[in-house]
Amino acid sequence: MDTLIKEIPEELRQKRGWKVELNGEAVENVFHLKIFNPKFGEVNYGMTPGGYDGWSFHGIGGGGVVTVPFSIIDGELYVGLVKQLRQNQGGEAWNVPRGFLNPNESHFKAAMREYEEEVRYLSPDRRVKPLEGENCNPNSAFFETAGKGEGVKYYSIEILPIQLELDPEQNAFKFKSGLLDPATKQAELILKCRFFAWRKSVQVADMFTVAAVGRLLAAQLVRF
C-alpha cells in the first residue's frame, strides 16, 4: 500500500520528535515503522511530506462513508442516529451510521452496506442519494486521503414520516415497532435508531454526525 510517509534520513534520526516503544522498551534509531491490518489499513511512522517525523493512517479502501437517515416531519428536519459503544469517546455515543470502505468497494455500495448493518432497515424504494461536497478527511494531521477518490463521502436516505412514531422518552421519533412482524433480533436493532431534530443532532460529540447534519442542511435548503 502506498503511503506519504518515507524513511527518515540518517542525518535527521537523532532529531526525532516521536519516541517508539515496543512491549514497554524504548527502540532507538527508528527511521520507518509500519503496523498493518489487512482488513482496515496501515499505520506508518517516518518522515512526513512536511519534513518532520510523524505518523499517519491509510485505510485499506482509501476512505469511508457516512449514511444519514432523515425525515421531514411537519416541515422540520429530523436526523436518524444510532447509539453505539465508542470506547475512544468514553462509552456509548449517538452517531450517524458510518464505516470504512472495503477493498475495491465503491462509496455507494459501502453506504448501503453500513446503513443496513447498523440500522438493519432499508427504505422500501432505496432512496439513497449522495450529499454534494468534496470527500472529507477525518483528521488531516494523521489520516491519508491524497489518492484520487479517497476520503469520506456522505449519503442520505429519506425515511417517510408514516414509517415513524413518537418516542416521548427521548423527545425523538423511532421506527414503528410493527414494521417487522414477527419481532426479530434485527427488529430490536431497528428500534435503537432515533430521529432527533437537527438542532439537537448537531450538538452530539461525534464529528462525523456534526458534518453530516451540515451537509444535509445544505441539501435541504436547496430543496426548499
Side-chain angles (χ1 to χ4, degrees):
M1 180 181 294
D2 292 334
T3 176
L4 300 175
I5 301 293
K6 307 302 180 184
E7 291 186 1
I8 301 174
E10 187 172 357
E11 64 272 16
L12 298 178
R13 293 175 189 175
Q14 299 303 316
K15 300 179 180 180
R16 293 186 296 113
W18 289 81
K19 306 300 180 184
V20 178
E21 290 187 0
L22 179 63
N23 299 327
E25 299 290 334
V27 180
E28 303 297 334
N29 197 31
V30 176
F31 51 87
H32 186 245
L33 177 68
K34 178 169 72 174
I35 302 173
F36 180 74
N37 184 316
K39 293 183 178 180
F40 296 105
E42 63 183 37
V43 176
N44 280 275
Y45 166 76
M47 180 63 68
T48 68
Y52 53 87
D53 71 311
W55 62 272
S56 71
F57 173 78
H58 194 179
I60 193 71
V65 292
V66 175
T67 307
V68 195
F70 76 95
S71 188
I72 305 295
I73 302 175
D74 295 330
E76 179 79 11
L77 175 63
Y78 285 79
V79 181
L81 307 181
V82 290
K83 181 178 281 189
Q84 294 178 306
L85 183 61
R86 300 287 184 186
Q87 296 287 11
N88 287 345
Q89 290 181 241
E92 289 188 328
W94 287 103
N95 53 234
V96 288
R98 65 177 188 268
F100 288 107
L101 292 178
N102 289 330
N104 302 316
E105 183 180 37
S106 70
H107 281 88
F108 181 78
K109 287 184 178 179
M112 298 289 292
R113 173 178 55 78
E114 285 296 330
Y115 182 76
E116 292 188 66
E117 286 178 357
E118 296 191 14
V119 180
R120 301 292 186 185
Y121 177 79
L122 195 59
S123 187
D125 51 5
R126 302 172 73 89
R127 289 173 293 177
V128 175
K129 298 180 180 179
L131 291 170
E132 292 185 5
E134 297 181 2
N135 293 358
C136 293
N137 183 304
N139 184 330
S140 58
F142 301 115
F143 280 74
E144 291 189 25
T145 58
K148 183 179 180 181
E150 292 187 336
V152 177
K153 191 171 182 62
Y154 288 78
Y155 291 83
S156 68
I157 179 167
E158 185 171 5
I159 306 300
L160 301 178
I162 196 173
Q163 298 168 310
L164 303 174
E165 62 186 6
L166 184 65
D167 178 6
E169 291 185 5
Q170 294 282 356
N171 193 24
F173 288 87
K174 63 181 181 180
F175 285 108
K176 289 182 177 178
S177 55
L179 282 178
L180 287 184
D181 189 25
T184 63
K185 207 163 189 178
Q186 289 186 339
E188 294 176 6
L189 293 174
I190 288 175
L191 297 179
K192 292 181 180 179
C193 184
R194 293 294 182 270
F195 288 76
F196 297 96
W198 73 264
R199 290 177 179 82
K200 184 174 182 179
S201 300
V202 80
Q203 296 179 28
V204 300
D206 178 64
M207 61 171 288
F208 286 103
T209 301
V210 175
V213 174
R215 288 279 174 98
L216 190 57
L217 275 175
Q220 295 305 312
L221 287 174
V222 171
R223 174 179 170 180
F224 291 110

